[in-house]
Amino acid sequence: MDVIILADRKGQELLPLTDNTCIPLLPLAGKPVLEHTLEALIEAGFRQAHIVLSPHAEQVKEAFGNGERWGMRLTYSTSRGEEAPLQILASLQNPPTPPFLIMRGDIVRSGSLKSLLEQAENNPSPCMQALFGTKKGFVMLCRNPQSAELNQLNWAGSTQQPTGIELNGAVALLDSLAAFHQANLDAAAGRLPLLIPGRQTALGLTQGRNTEVYPQSVKQGIALIGAYCNLHPSVELSGEVVIGDHVIVDRRAGIENTVILPHSYIGELVELRNAIVRGNDLIRVDNGAVLKISDTFLLADLTTSPINKGLGTLYNRLAGVLLLLVSLPLWFLANVLVFLQKPEKYFNEYRLRGNKIEQDDFGLPQRAGFATWEYNVTVPVLRYLPRLFAVISGDLRLVGALPVSPETAAQRTEEWEKFADRAPAGLLGPTQLTIPADAPEEEKLMSDSFYWANFSIQQDFRYLLQALRMLVSRKAWIG
Amino acid sequence: MLINEQKHDNIDIVVLSGRFVMADSPEVRERLKVLIDEGQGKLVVDMSQVSFIDSSACAVLISAFKGMQLKPGRLLLVTSPVVQSLIELTRLHTIFEILPNLPAALDALSTS
């Protein structure tokens, strides 16, 4: 039987958790949300599924691949995000053969899919949905791919009264930060029965491999701790606590009813209660506060920033100094030219957004702007010479995306625009070298997007060589 | 690259084939602009025979998409696996309506 998994929620309701990932990949009780759906399918005997993705689709494909690890065959397609199921089915390369199973993979449910199939077998309805009490299970056996009842799986909402087959189990819609937090605690406590990774090492304590935690840390309640974690013996865990992989909790920290996502550091004496921690993001689910903690002694993100990818900052700055020395004759030439062409105004000053990270008024990290200037001459290679100082100061990398003004950056709001915006800004790059200055804005943006999507150190070296070759080209001197 | 324009009822169809790169961008941009300006707000860009696209080609598609939004109208894409991969890599699948083949695209526009 064909299986279609809809996992194309945009995830706005779970921001900031979904700012760099998507709901199917959010960790819930030690596993990505989507994995719980795959496990339910395996348990019911399914060995293949087609997954419909939208934001961060490539991350999901990378994480789940062809499904071999789960003994499944997975295929993928994409939607624009939260599209109606009928529309999605119409756009599939290989439409499912009725009867087929269709379900959301960006929520979590327990309960046996086998029961749904058995009960639906004798029911003539075109689509039979699973219900958990009064809640929709967002899983349906469908005999008619054009049935309007498919709209009940629409994440954007359906006004139809849910009808279907009642199953034993529970469903977590993950439709708010508080719901995501509660679903984690429910899974750890067994109220949302899921397959949980790790082994029970003491009463109330389940831990993953290579994790160091002392049973006496669990004062009362339940703790589910992932792999490769290190909790100081003086740490106190109470209530229900879920800790993801690669988390470090320092001495005398107190954690109660909290979910800590992977790669987070919890500092000494820190008290966490009713919260979600993701790196240095602290989300209080009881009062709705979302804070970015700047003091790394309290909370820290153990992952590295993508801005630091590529040639190291120090190498970049050293290369900037070297280029400045080598380019000294060009500076002389630029001064002579500008004196002859525009003696009334040597320079144009402007601000660009660089690669240094600073905090805004709300404590949120953002890329800092920097002041730069250009020679008031028509020769491109001379005009942009002063940007070498930005490379030396670390505001620009040697190779990167086209630097833009903070105002231009603020206009980039769509996901595809923000993707290109993640690339570090550079003195040289494909856009600077190959795209004409008067090309449409989207062409420059797409060029940067391609650069970032195919990023590699080797590619950066290729652009450096291309830049050196272009130094003797007509374009560098005439424009 | 080959550019072939067709019409199906009130739906404009542009069938592209071969490599769609920077050198082809101005011509495709212009022809799509004319079709959007003069057409009935229903356009299919069939790239099922396109073997490669670069960033400038994507930029042309974005321009056409924006132009169609202003009209307002509907622009559908039909992609080859290579084009689809590049569109997904650059997150453009979050704005473009992509159909698996030309009949599906025509069907979607006929019923809208």
Side-chain angles (χ1 to χ4, degrees):
Chain A
M1 185 184 289
D2 289 337
V3 178
I4 306 291
I5 300 175
L6 308 175
D8 65 339
R9 272 170 66 186
K10 293 177 182 171
Q12 298 293 315
E13 60 277 22
L14 292 184
L15 282 170
L17 299 181
T18 49
D19 52 8
N20 285 318
T21 189
C22 54
I23 296 175
L25 289 181
L26 281 181
L28 194 140
K31 288 177 186 171
V33 165
L34 179 60
E35 192 170 333
H36 293 293
T37 293
L38 295 185
E39 286 179 345
L41 286 169
I42 293 163
E43 195 259 342
F46 291 98
R47 291 293 177 267
Q48 60 78 33
H50 180 82
I51 306 174
V52 181
L53 303 164
S54 190
H56 304 280
E58 77 293 343
Q59 285 183 18
V60 182
K61 289 181 187 178
E62 198 178 320
F64 289 91
N66 59 9
E68 205 173 21
R69 189 147 63 95
W70 292 269
M72 292 189 81
R73 192 171 59 83
L74 300 178
T75 54
Y76 303 91
S77 64
T78 53
S79 86
R80 286 179 295 167
E82 299 179 7
E83 280 188 32
L86 281 171
Q87 203 172 341
I88 288 173
L89 287 176
S91 68
L92 293 180
Q93 189 89 41
N94 299 311
T97 309
F100 59 93
L101 192 71
I102 181 166
M103 63 205 301
R104 295 215 68 91
D106 42 24
I107 65 163
V108 172
R109 67 183 79 68
S110 64
S112 169
L113 292 176
K114 270 187 192 163
S115 298
L116 170 68
L117 298 176
E118 283 163 10
Q119 292 186 58
E121 199 175 324
N122 302 321
N123 195 310
S125 302
C127 290
M128 290 305 298
Q129 181 174 210
L131 297 177
F132 297 97
T134 56
K135 282 186 176 175
K136 289 197 284 187
F138 285 95
V139 53
M140 204 176 252
L141 182 78
C142 194
R143 294 189 176 88
N144 176 5
Q146 269 101 41
S147 169
E149 287 185 45
L150 277 161
N151 283 330
Q152 293 203 26
L153 295 182
N154 196 350
W155 183 254
S158 113
T159 51
Q160 282 176 281
Q161 185 66 27
T163 54
I165 296 168
E166 287 221 21
L167 293 185
N168 288 325
V171 61
L173 299 184
L174 316 177
D175 50 359
S176 67
L177 290 167
F180 175 75
H181 174 265
Q182 191 60 49
N184 268 283
L185 302 192
D186 287 347
R191 295 185 292 271
L192 177 62
L194 299 170
L195 277 175
I196 288 176
R199 61 193 174 93
Q200 190 162 5
T201 52
L203 187 64
L205 174 63
T206 304
Q207 66 183 84
R209 65 187 183 280
N210 296 325
T211 279
E212 279 186 40
V213 56
Y214 288 78
Q216 62 267 31
S217 286
V218 185
K219 293 300 169 197
Q220 53 181 3
I222 288 164
L224 171 62
I225 301 172
Y228 301 100
C229 294
N230 197 318
L231 280 75
H232 192 270
S234 59
V235 168
E236 292 193 358
L237 308 173
S238 54
E240 288 156 2
V241 174
V242 176
I243 296 178
D245 297 344
H246 300 278
V247 169
I248 298 171
V249 186
D250 218 331
R251 50 190 87 219
R252 294 168 66 192
I255 302 170
E256 181 182 343
N257 292 329
T258 288
V259 177
I260 300 173
L261 299 197
H263 302 283
S264 304
Y265 166 77
I266 312 296
E268 198 172 332
L269 290 165
V270 167
E271 288 286 332
L272 295 170
R273 189 171 296 116
N274 301 323
I276 302 171
V277 175
R278 196 264 318 248
N280 57 343
D281 289 314
L282 174 64
I283 301 161
R284 285 290 299 265
V285 292
D286 47 1
N287 61 17
V290 178
L291 302 168
K292 180 73 80 175
I293 307 296
S294 55
D295 188 343
T296 51
F297 286 99
L298 300 176
L299 297 182
D301 189 345
L302 299 176
T303 55
T304 52
S305 161
I307 290 290
N308 295 328
K309 275 170 81 171
L311 301 175
T313 310
L314 185 65
Y315 289 128
N316 266 287
R317 296 173 78 164
L318 283 174
V321 173
L322 192 68
L323 273 180
L324 181 70
L325 293 173
V326 172
S327 66
L328 283 177
L330 295 179
W331 288 81
F332 174 73
L333 189 61
N335 279 303
V336 171
L337 261 184
V338 79
F339 178 74
L340 294 173
Q341 287 182 352
K342 305 272 175 58
E344 68 284 359
K345 194 179 182 194
Y346 262 50
F347 304 113
N348 293 318
E349 279 188 57
Y350 51 97
R351 274 188 80 73
L352 293 175
R353 194 191 51 164
N355 300 327
K356 287 181 182 167
I357 303 294
E358 64 175 13
Q359 288 178 349
D360 65 10
D361 296 340
F362 302 100
L364 298 173
Q366 62 170 16
R367 285 163 71 168
F370 66 95
T372 186
W373 36 279
E374 60 185 43
Y375 276 115
N376 202 6
V377 291
T378 51
V379 181
V381 74
L382 300 181
R383 194 189 318 154
Y384 298 119
L385 269 181
R387 285 193 188 176
L388 273 173
F389 286 112
V391 177
I392 295 169
S393 67
D395 285 304
L396 289 183
R397 288 186 353 154
L398 202 54
V399 181
L402 182 72
V404 294
S405 68
E407 294 76 27
T408 304
Q411 288 169 0
R412 296 176 174 178
T413 53
E414 297 278 345
E415 195 192 331
W416 65 274
E417 294 172 314
K418 287 193 282 189
F419 176 71
D421 223 30
R422 289 197 188 116
L427 175 70
L428 311 163
T431 311
Q432 298 89 318
L433 295 172
T434 57
I435 307 291
D438 57 353
E441 193 57 35
E442 53 262 21
E443 192 160 340
K444 296 174 186 169
L445 194 63
M446 284 318 302
S447 170
D448 287 336
S449 201
F450 270 55
Y451 165 72
W452 191 232
N454 300 303
F455 175 82
S456 71
I457 301 280
Q458 293 88 333
Q459 183 185 245
D460 273 9
F461 276 112
R462 276 198 293 274
Y463 287 126
L464 264 178
L465 289 175
Q466 189 180 348
L468 287 173
R469 278 201 305 272
M470 284 186 74
L471 202 58
V472 291
S473 73
R474 190 175 181 275
K475 189 185 174 192
W477 294 93
I478 309 292
Chain B
M1 190 189 64
L2 293 174
I3 309 170
N4 179 20
E5 286 177 27
Q6 300 169 11
K7 191 121 182 145
H8 182 271
D9 297 333
N10 58 349
I11 302 169
D12 291 304
I13 305 162
V14 177
V15 182
L16 306 175
S17 52
R19 288 168 62 86
F20 182 7
V21 291
M22 191 184 272
D24 312 299
S25 297
E27 189 185 352
V28 180
R29 186 187 294 276
E30 190 50 42
R31 286 171 77 165
L32 288 178
K33 187 177 181 305
V34 170
L35 285 174
I36 291 166
D37 289 345
E38 296 174 1
Q40 313 242 336
K42 293 181 176 185
L43 175 62
V44 179
V45 180
D46 182 352
M47 294 188 290
S48 54
Q49 301 301 312
V50 171
S51 56
F52 178 77
I53 59 169
D54 68 2
S55 58
S56 60
C58 285
V60 169
L61 297 175
I62 295 166
S63 295
F65 173 76
K66 287 181 175 173
M68 195 55 109
Q69 272 192 320
L70 287 175
K71 190 166 172 84
R74 205 168 158 201
L75 167 71
L76 301 188
L77 300 185
V78 176
T79 57
S80 64
V82 172
V83 174
Q84 179 70 21
S85 301
L86 281 164
I87 281 179
E88 286 177 16
L89 199 62
T90 49
R91 316 273 168 95
L92 290 176
H93 63 275
T94 56
I95 57 168
F96 286 126
E97 223 177 313
I98 302 168
L99 274 295
N101 49 47
L102 187 57
L106 294 176
D107 193 40
L109 284 178
S110 303
T111 53
S112 69

